[in-house]
Amino acid sequence: MDYSEFETLLEQVRSTHPFWFEGFEGWRASEEEIADIEANFRVVLPVSYRRFMATVGGGGFGFLDIFPLGPRQGSVEDFQSVNSERWWDADFVAFSPVGTGDLWGFMVENGACLDRVTFLDHETGEVMPENQEFLEFLVSKALKP
């Protein structure tokens, strides 16, 4: 799915189900903030994720929470704090809590985040591929009840 298809679908869902987005914080990230995160964590984030964070932002998004990149008033967790307090061994960066202590995120290979979403089990540290690219994941988990 390319980003323009995602935007079209998002607008359709927002017009059909506006209450799914009531109170959505939309903590957008600047290009500078994205570059700082990449430099601090020595990773290259997926293009679709970068664009999402710049245009839509973090917060309660449909049926998911997406970490804002840095601390925001009203946010309990953010990308920076969660990924700085790593308790897992995998080459993984988290972008969303599952709600049970587990995390959704990206595996990192050679300094680049893969655009496939991965589930990290907090009890075992095991990572399991979701087999969906970031935008497809958002559609399936955040935009469908």
Side-chain angles (χ1 to χ4, degrees), residues 104-105 107 116-120 126-132:
W104 296 111
M107 293 301 297
R116 296 249 177 236
V117 174
T118 301
F119 175 86
L120 176 72
E126 182 181 359
V127 291
M128 294 163 265
E130 183 64 24
N131 294 322
Q132 290 181 313

Side-chain angles (χ1 to χ4, degrees), residues 108-119:
V108 180
E109 287 184 8
N110 300 319
C113 293
L114 304 178
D115 191 23
R116 296 249 177 236
V117 174
T118 301
F119 175 86

Side-chain angles (χ1 to χ4, degrees), residues 27 33 36-37 40-41 49 66-72 74-88 92-97 103:
W27 290 307
E33 185 177 16
D36 286 347
I37 288 289
N40 290 339
F41 289 93
Y49 173 77
I66 307 293
F67 297 133
L69 287 188
R72 300 292 197 275
S75 174
V76 174
E77 297 178 303
D78 59 78
F79 182 100
Q80 185 175 339
S81 65
V82 168
N83 289 290
S84 292
E85 301 288 328
R86 292 176 49 125
W87 45 263
W88 58 88
F92 174 89
V93 292
F95 67 79
S96 176
L103 299 166

Side-chain angles (χ1 to χ4, degrees), residues 4-56:
S4 62
E5 292 171 315
F6 173 75
E7 286 178 316
T8 299
L9 180 60
L10 177 56
E11 288 311 311
Q12 290 171 352
V13 172
R14 278 184 171 157
S15 66
T16 309
H17 305 286
F19 56 94
W20 289 0
F21 299 93
E22 287 178 6
F24 173 59
E25 295 84 357
W27 290 307
R28 292 179 183 89
S30 66
E31 287 300 320
E32 181 180 338
E33 185 177 16
I34 294 168
D36 286 347
I37 288 289
E38 289 182 323
N40 290 339
F41 289 93
R42 295 184 180 103
V43 297
V44 176
L45 298 167
V47 171
S48 58
Y49 173 77
R50 289 174 56 98
R51 188 164 178 192
F52 178 84
M53 294 308 292
T55 60
V56 178

